[in-house]
Amino acid sequence: MARSGDAELSALYEEVLSYGLAGHPRPPDPAEIALPVRIGHRGAELRLVDTITTFGAAFDLTLEEIAVEACFPADDDSARFFRTPSVPA
């Protein structure tokens, strides 16, 4: 009730919490949803987070084959590396 002011919503939230483990739900471990990647390139160590998103629908085989892989900088140094224009070696 503290967040929404709705007593019925708060009661539902408390009921749903009672279905799982006692106490507060555990936050997801980042390793469960993303793969940390470390790459050495031109003397720099780049730290990235790699994710793969798949799409699918029960009746659409074409959609089931689509997957999008994305890499994101995992820290400020890696982000700065990608924002800096590269000079050919």
Side-chain angles (χ1 to χ4, degrees):
M1 192 159 128
R3 291 188 179 163
S4 70
D6 186 336
E8 189 173 333
L9 185 59
S10 293
L12 178 61
Y13 176 75
E14 293 301 322
E15 179 183 340
V16 170
L17 281 180
S18 71
Y19 298 155
L21 301 173
H24 295 288
R26 171 184 72 78
D29 180 354
E32 293 174 1
I33 59 172
L35 173 67
V37 178
R38 295 170 68 179
I39 299 172
H41 178 69
R42 295 187 180 183
E45 181 178 334
L46 305 175
R47 289 169 292 281
L48 308 169
V49 176
D50 184 67
T51 62
I52 299 175
T53 304
T54 57
F55 300 89
F59 302 106
D60 190 345
L61 295 177
T62 305
L63 190 59
E64 188 175 303
E65 298 171 6
I66 297 175
V68 177
E69 183 171 7
C71 293
F72 301 97
D75 59 18
D76 290 336
D77 291 336
S78 297
R80 198 169 16 264
F81 177 88
F82 289 109
R83 284 193 305 262
T84 303
S86 63
V87 177

